[in-house]
Amino acid sequence: MIYADNAATTRISDRAFEQMLPFLREQYGNASSQYSLGVKAKRAVEHARKQVAAAIGAEPSEITFTSGGSEANSWVLRCVAETYHNESIHIITSTIEHHSVLNACRALEQSGVEVTFLPVDNTGRVLVEDVKAAIKHNTKLVSIMLANNEIGTIQPITQIGAFLKGQDILFHTDAVQAVGHIPVDVDDLRVDFLTASAHKFNGAKGTGILYKRSGLNLPPLLFGGEQERGLRAGTENVAGIVSAGFAIEESISEMAEEAKRLRSMVEVTVEGIKEKIPSVRVNGDTKSCLPGTVNLGFNGISGESLMHLLDLKGICVSTSSACTSGKDEPSHVLLALGLSEQQAKSAIRISYGRYNTADEAKVIVKAVCDAYAKIIDNL
Ligand SMILES: *Cc1c(COP(=O)(O)O)cnc(C)c1O
């Protein structure tokens, strides 16, 4: 099998797995318990918090663990709006956000919040001028993702953050695709909130990260005990949190080399496919983008049939994001780039990660070209 859908999820790293294992067996204490079994669990959670904080230039007290990126995104959107419950407020986001942001915004619209969904250019980038132009007297939150999960385009978060600084507007970025893959520093980005997810950087599924700049108030999404300083109730997923700490540390230490390796695999893939299929199109940006993710459009065929033929050969790629595939709708991200419905439906996303090899990229080139020829023959 060749797994090339690392933007959907990643295989857990051996190190992260080894480190989390004891907390599922011998060290199963509740981190809130006062005896040593609990204290050890608590200590492990706090160690992971330091690891995560160090990885993004934050303080440990600014990190809260959640059940995932979706929970962290929902939390920020819902609860920032909640703090202004009696005012009519305005939120700015983009049309290419992950559904955990988009659908949270749509829900907020139902409750009277005004939301501006900014368009993107044909490479998938939000323009800083558009953010500036969209600001209203009652704008309270801007939420723009750091890197897109379907096309890999990196957004000008630093520039948007610099523009928003000093204004009374909170700034959130969904950095789920970025953390562990490209350098992320909350001070450079000038964000107030940042979300990440362990299973996107070779940690376990079910652990998310919310960075909240110290001093800011965010009401809890969940109620219960005093876990996570009373911000996020519920018995901690100790093993998952431990995996997040070690996985993020490992990803950061290998990041520069790994990015180079993944970029060259993407290049081999695109160039190889272009040789046989000159009409293939790269959707997104080829310069400012994630190292391992590429979205390709094939004229006149369906990305879904291509994906299924690759699956028969044991190759996992996706048509768009894991959250939207399965519905027969064209990707909202690809439509936002200005592609037609048919073009949007002709795309596949290949996303390489830690466990892919250069040889696999060559196998994928051949498999894609063969599958494409087969589909064209049968038209
Ligand atoms: C995967 C993903 C999420 C959701 O994270 P989960 O931990 O799976 O809930 C949010 N945003 C982006 C950009 C993602 O790629």
Side-chain angles (χ1 to χ4, degrees):
M1 187 191 79
I2 296 179
Y3 183 79
D5 198 16
N6 289 272
T9 192
T10 60
R11 179 179 132 191
I12 192 167
S13 86
D14 294 341
R15 175 120 195 274
F17 180 68
E18 295 300 332
Q19 295 287 340
M20 80 186 276
L21 214 46
F23 295 94
L24 293 167
R25 294 199 295 216
E26 311 83 59
Q27 300 285 344
Y28 52 79
N30 186 316
S32 299
S33 298
Q34 304 294 306
Y35 41 79
S36 56
L37 196 66
V39 172
K40 278 183 188 153
K42 176 89 181 157
R43 222 176 269 151
V45 167
E46 294 317 312
H47 182 65
R49 202 184 308 281
K50 280 188 197 146
Q51 290 170 309
V52 168
I56 59 169
E59 292 298 324
S61 61
E62 296 174 314
I63 303 297
T64 309
F65 291 109
T66 68
S67 72
S70 300
E71 182 188 316
N73 283 339
S74 300
W75 188 3
V76 172
L77 271 300
R78 278 205 151 157
C79 293
V80 164
E82 187 187 313
T83 56
Y84 297 98
H85 57 284
N86 283 327
E87 291 171 51
S88 68
I89 65 160
H90 174 235
I91 291 176
I92 298 172
T93 186
S94 83
T95 48
I96 64 160
E97 299 297 311
H98 186 264
H99 281 100
S100 53
V101 169
L102 283 182
N103 290 345
C105 286
R106 290 190 187 123
L108 290 175
E109 280 187 312
Q110 295 303 308
S111 60
V113 172
E114 189 187 351
V115 183
T116 298
F117 297 90
L118 293 177
V120 291
D121 68 13
N122 62 6
T123 67
R125 200 182 323 279
V126 172
L127 303 177
V128 186
E129 299 89 82
D130 285 349
V131 177
K132 290 182 188 176
I135 301 284
K136 300 186 177 199
H137 69 281
N138 60 342
T139 306
K140 295 297 177 194
L141 175 69
V142 174
S143 177
I144 308 280
M145 70 201 321
L146 181 44
N148 183 267
N149 46 309
E150 292 189 38
I151 53 176
T153 301
I154 296 171
Q155 302 298 335
I157 297 302
T158 309
Q159 291 89 316
I160 298 171
F163 162 69
L164 291 173
K165 193 177 155 55
Q167 306 194 41
D168 188 23
I169 300 172
L170 294 166
F171 187 26
H172 165 244
T173 192
D174 170 354
V176 171
Q177 288 291 332
V179 168
H181 303 286
I182 57 171
V184 172
D185 183 289
V186 291
D187 287 333
D188 288 347
L189 297 172
R190 299 188 186 224
V191 289
D192 299 305
F193 301 103
L194 177 145
T195 44
S197 179
H199 77 98
K200 301 290 175 79
F201 53 78
N202 303 95
K205 291 169 188 60
T207 299
I209 293 159
L210 173 65
Y211 159 82
K212 174 176 79 67
R213 190 171 290 285
S214 75
L216 292 176
N217 167 42
L218 187 69
L221 181 69
L222 304 177
F223 296 96
E226 282 301 301
Q227 291 93 352
E228 299 296 285
R229 304 178 313 287
L231 289 175
R232 200 278 184 182
T235 300
E236 295 87 341
N237 171 8
V238 178
I241 290 170
V242 167
S243 84
F246 284 94
I248 206 167
E249 206 171 76
E250 202 177 14
S251 298
I252 301 268
S253 72
E254 296 171 2
M255 185 185 289
E257 250 175 86
E258 190 61 4
K260 238 189 339 192
R261 194 180 70 86
L262 295 179
R263 276 191 206 284
S264 94
M265 284 171 57
V266 166
E267 202 179 302
V268 164
T269 306
V270 173
E271 293 313 312
I273 294 174
K274 254 188 193 155
E275 232 169 74
K276 287 261 169 62
I277 313 169
S279 63
V280 72
R281 185 184 56 243
V282 176
N283 296 320
D285 193 14
T286 48
K287 288 183 285 289
S288 183
C289 60
L290 291 170
T293 299
V294 66
N295 190 303
L296 298 171
F298 298 84
N299 277 342
I301 68 157
S302 111
E304 204 173 317
S305 35
L306 189 52
M307 185 261 286
H308 285 303
L309 281 180
L310 293 173
D311 185 28
L312 291 177
K313 296 196 171 163
I315 297 171
C316 309
V317 301
S318 79
T319 46
S320 58
S321 72
C323 316
T324 41
S325 45
K327 300 179 202 167
D328 189 33
E329 283 165 18
S331 144
H332 68 290
V333 175
L334 298 181
L335 293 181
L337 298 183
L339 299 190
S340 68
E341 272 202 23
Q342 202 185 10
Q343 284 175 322
K345 284 188 174 178
S346 79
I348 60 166
R349 175 187 69 189
I350 299 171
S351 49
Y352 293 123
R354 168 111 35 101
Y355 295 106
N356 290 117
T357 63
D359 279 346
E360 287 179 343
K362 291 181 196 155
V363 174
I364 285 182
V365 168
K366 180 159 190 326
V368 167
C369 296
D370 290 351
Y372 177 82
K374 199 167 171 182
I375 296 169
I376 293 289
D377 281 349
N378 288 324
L379 282 182

